[in-house]
Amino acid sequence: MQIPFLSGKPAARLASLLMLCSVLVPVAAAWGDEDPESLDVMERQMAHLQEQQQALQNELAAMHQQIAQHRARLGGTSAAGSGGAGHPLEVTGSGGHVRGGWVPVEGHAPQRAAVAGGERVGRPHIGGYSDPTSELGDQPTVESVVAHREEDLISHMANNNVGPHNRETVGAQSAGALGSKVFHLGPVAIILGGFFDAAALVENRQVSSGIFNYWNAIPFRDSSNFHTTNFNGDARYSRFSLMARGQLNPHLTVAGFVETDFGASAETTNPYESNSYVPRLRQAYLTLDDSRANTHFLIGQAWTMLTPDRVGIVPRQESLPETIESSILAGQTWSRQWQVRIVKDFLKHRLWTGLSIENPATIYDTTGFSAAGDNGEYSLANGGYAKLGSNGVGLSSATTNYSNEIAPDIIGKLAWDPAWGHYEVEGVVHFPHDRSVINGVGENHTAIAWGVGGSMILPVIPHRLEVRLAGLAGKGIGRYGSVLLPDATLRANGAPALLSSAQTTAGVIAHPNKVIDVYGYFGMQRSGRSYFDEDGGSYGYGNPNADNTGCMTEGSDLNSAALGGCTANIRSVEEFTIGAWYRFIHGQYGTVQAGTQLAYSRVHTWGGMGGAPTTSLSEIFFDFRYLPFQ
């Protein structure tokens, strides 16, 4: 493409300098053979000329950017395929070639934008996204993917009126949103993300889990904690992330992503003086994206592919609630774990298919079974024992029992992004595995657990008001829900007895303007039961002969610590919550936002002797965040 202003004075000066350099180089070489001192002079002159040449190139890039901005202010032709007002911008990036990007403009389609040295002209707003393939073609350029300030240009192309996350929303931050600036180390683009967080809550029960809701620990009336209010505040969920991306060839992009916070506790952590919470790994993975074959590969620790998405099957575009609580929401389907994922998209990035193998784990309930040791062994009614797992050794936690597993979980997903909304279905197969020893004879047992589910996002008012629905149901998949209900209990012979499971969430999220987000959610997770009675003993989950006597009486001797306290098995957990976020500072130095959330959770149990006790938890959350990169 001929660019008229290249023929102006700066271009002529640059051409003259280049011609002079071409003449001086051979002369300097010949002269240098006879006069070393003169050669040194020529080398200094050449270095000065090269500095002038670089300065002129920078001057040209700046002129391109100024002219593009001037044209944008004056108004120009709508971007191709935009269907609305827009300003096509093209400028030359460092190195003298054109880089393309997309600037979403409030209420209109994305525009062709300038990227100079990896930076796009303008900044993103919450707005509509139209299909930019009419200008770029179906396949994005590597530069537009690698150097673009948006998370992934390919996710814009689906154009489902839901669109990628706005990076400033809390749902995006939970998924791992990166900042809006791109830095370069040679051919590698570096993008930073994360935030400084200061959160607090007031709750009407003493749970001692901070802003992480551990619903299994909500006390019943027999505990004094049920009658005690609690305040807690900390900064342990401050988060930092980094992505490095590079170009392998014109169609293949490689990237590495890592994310961490301080949600873990060491043995020396105490709430009285140092509050020394330690860093923990949230995500760490490598991706390969092929824009020609429309295939996407991921290996490492990331959100499980069962987690609902916003667009396609794209990392960091998971559909997560806007809640303050770090346990997200009761009934939410999620896990962060090791995986190997392959995804392919079709029909101009509208239809997505994915297959993932992921790290397995099984949560066992052992109600009625006494521990035969401290290393994952439980006594059976017939005198033998079942081996469910082993305590960690080496660099694994010695106080955690890791379940025996025979194979990885297998997960498949199908996602569809029409012009309105995002829809997906998924399934998982899991293989709980243990070993029993009875009368000196050992036997391995393997069960087949499974789950099917789906989710949808309905953009009632695109980018202003949306409804989210999601659910998962099956047998032996309780650990994929926020409540962490058990996957299995034990049969009389020590084999896994799978528990049915169901979980669902529904939410309404509104963005009345660019600085306020308002939300309301309902979440629920339930578990089935499996039990047997033998030799006068009651075993299994939800056994109607379990002793729940005294669960409703504070200080009851029937629920003393020696007897294990109230051990009523949870049947279901429900949570209702509303909240809002306000971004009161937003500019070139980042974003500062504050939020509050009201939450009410209720726990129902399986009935036993003494009835089916219930309990509840009411909470008020407060949060303050500074996002330096958004």
Side-chain angles (χ1 to χ4, degrees), residues 322-366:
E322 312 295 322
T323 53
I324 296 173
E325 58 187 281
S326 62
S327 49
I328 304 180
L329 176 72
Q332 177 72 32
T333 299
W334 71 278
S335 176
R336 288 190 303 269
Q337 59 195 18
W338 176 93
Q339 60 193 270
V340 179
R341 177 196 303 185
I342 182 71
V343 173
K344 184 171 178 61
D345 65 89
F346 306 87
L347 304 178
K348 293 185 178 181
H349 319 293
R350 301 285 186 183
L351 179 65
W352 300 70
T353 60
L355 179 67
S356 182
I357 59 172
E358 305 193 5
N359 199 55
T362 304
I363 299 176
Y364 287 95
D365 175 81
T366 55

Side-chain angles (χ1 to χ4, degrees), residues 109 153 162 214 249 374 428 479 619:
L153 180 61
V162 174
Y214 190 56
N249 62 45
D374 60 355
V428 57
R479 68 111 173 174
E619 299 165 292

Side-chain angles (χ1 to χ4, degrees), residues 94 99 115-120 146-149 178-193 241-246 588 628-630:
S94 61
R99 290 185 173 183
V115 180
E119 288 294 333
R120 184 182 60 196
V146 173
H148 203 277
R149 284 166 55 177
L178 294 166
S180 57
K181 289 186 172 65
V182 179
F183 307 91
H184 290 277
L185 293 176
V188 178
I190 305 296
I191 311 173
L192 302 178
S241 58
L242 179 147
M243 170 172 279
R245 288 197 290 199
Q588 61 179 331
F629 309 111
Q630 268 97 321

Side-chain angles (χ1 to χ4, degrees), residues 162 309-310 319 421-423 455-459 466-469:
V162 174
D309 292 294
R310 287 185 62 82
S319 176
H422 173 80
Y423 311 88
S455 69
M456 64 179 69
I457 301 179
L458 308 176
E466 64 186 34
V467 174
R468 303 182 194 175
L469 303 171

